[in-house]
Amino acid sequence: MDDPSPIRPFEILFDRAEPSPIADEAYAPYGNFGFPAAPAGRPWIYSNFVQSLDGITTLLGKHGSGGEISQSREDRWLMDLLRAHADGILTGMNTLLEEQRSRGPESRGIVFQVADPKLRELRKRLGKGRERNIFVTRATDLDLSRYKVFDGDMVDAAVVTSPAGAARLRAQGSHPHVAIVAAGEGESFNLPLAVQKLREELGVQYLLCEGGPTLYGSLARADLVDEKFMTVSPIEVGQAVPPEQERLPTEQNISPLLRPTVFGGPGFTRDNLTRWTWLSSRKVGDHQFNRYRRKRR
Ligand SMILES: NC(=O)c1ccc[n+]([C@@H]2O[C@H](COP(=O)([O-])OP(=O)(O)OC[C@H]3O[C@@H](n4cnc5c(N)ncnc54)[C@H](OP(=O)(O)O)[C@@H]3O)[C@@H](O)[C@H]2O)c1
C-alpha cells in the first residue's frame, strides 16, 4: 500500500539552476527548479535515471524495474516533479515491456503519469496540457491493443518509428488517436529527425527521457541530451548477474549476463567523450540527487 506520510525534504547541497517558472508551494520539498528556454527546432531534452553506487540501472530478472534500484519515495516524487514539467515522456519500448512483464501475463502495462496530486495541480498551473507518453520502437511486431497506455483515456500517446514501422502501425487501423511520428527511410530510423518532428508536429518543447539504457545511449551518441537528472541509490549490486538469481526465459544461455549502466550500446572514445557541468546536488538520507548539464563549448 502507498505510504500516505509526507516525503522527507531534500537537503540542498548546492544549486546553480534557473529559478522556478512560478512561485508555488508544490516546490517546497525540493526548492528551486527551473529550465532554460528550449532550443529552436527541437525540444530541450532531459533524462532521469536512478543507479546503484556501482552505476547499475536494473537488476534484471524478476526485479528488473528502476524502482528496485531506487528504493526511495523521494526519488519517486522527484520523477513526478520532472514529469510535471514535461510536454512528453520518451521511453524505449523495452521499458514498457519490462513494466508489463513484471506485472504478469494478464497485465496491459502501465501509464507513465504524475501520481502526486499536488504535482498534478502544479502541472496545471504551469499551463501544461494533457500528459503525453511517447515510445521509440522499430514496431516490427507491436500490437497497440496489448498496452493500456495506447487506449487514449489516461494520457495522449505517441510512437516514433521508421517509415516502415509507421506503415505497419497505421495498418492496424485500431488506434487513430495515437500519434505516429515517422522519421528516416524504409526500415531505418533517424532519431535526431524524430525529436525535431516531436517539436514541429506535436509542439513538444520539454522532453523527458526516462530510459532505458538503449534509448539513452542512442540519444547521447547523437548528442541530444541537454541535462541528466541522476539519483544515486546507496546500494551496491555488481554488474554480472549472480548464479543464485533466477533468470527470465529471455535471459537463459547468456554468459556472463551483464546488468546495464545508464548508457547502452556503443559509447565514446577519449577524443569524442562528452563533458558535463554539475548543476545541483541534493540529499535525502543516503540518496544523492544530482543534476548535470551538457557543456557544448
Ligand atoms: N534505473 C532506471 O532509472 C531505469 C530507467 C528506465 C529503464 N530502466 C530499466 O531498463 C530496462 C530496459 O532498458 P533497455 O535498454 O533494455 O530498453 P529501452 O531503451 O527501454 O528500449 C529499447 C527498445 O527501444 C527501441 N529503441 C531504443 N532506441 C532506439 C533507436 N535509436 N532506434 C530504434 N529503436 C530504438 C527499440 O524497440 P523495438 O525493439 O521495439 O524496436 C529497442 O529495442 C528495464 O529493465 C527497465 O526497468 C531503468
Side-chain angles (χ1 to χ4, degrees), residues 13-34:
L13 305 179
F14 66 89
D15 190 342
R16 301 196 183 95
E18 290 75 8
S20 307
I22 56 173
D24 198 292
E25 199 37 40
Y27 291 112
Y30 187 83
N32 184 56
F33 186 81

Side-chain angles (χ1 to χ4, degrees), residues 48-51 56-58 60 64-66 69 91-96 98-99 136-140 189 191 210-216 218 260:
N48 184 31
F49 274 95
V50 58
Q51 65 175 49
I56 298 299
T57 52
T58 164
L60 299 180
S65 84
I69 296 286
T91 58
M93 201 57 206
N94 277 357
T95 294
L96 179 61
E98 168 56 33
E99 294 291 347
V136 183
T137 174
R138 290 158 296 178
T140 44
F189 172 63
L191 187 58
E210 290 196 356
T214 303
L215 175 61
Y216 179 85
S218 41

Side-chain angles (χ1 to χ4, degrees), residues 249-275:
T250 50
E251 297 171 348
Q252 305 294 331
N253 305 321
I254 303 173
S255 184
L257 178 60
L258 297 180
R259 296 163 171 156
T261 69
V262 164
F263 198 127
F268 299 115
T269 67
R270 186 194 173 285
D271 294 331
N272 63 5
L273 55 75
T274 58
R275 296 187 188 280

Side-chain angles (χ1 to χ4, degrees), residues 89 94 164 213 256 297:
I89 300 173
N94 277 357
R297 277 172 299 194

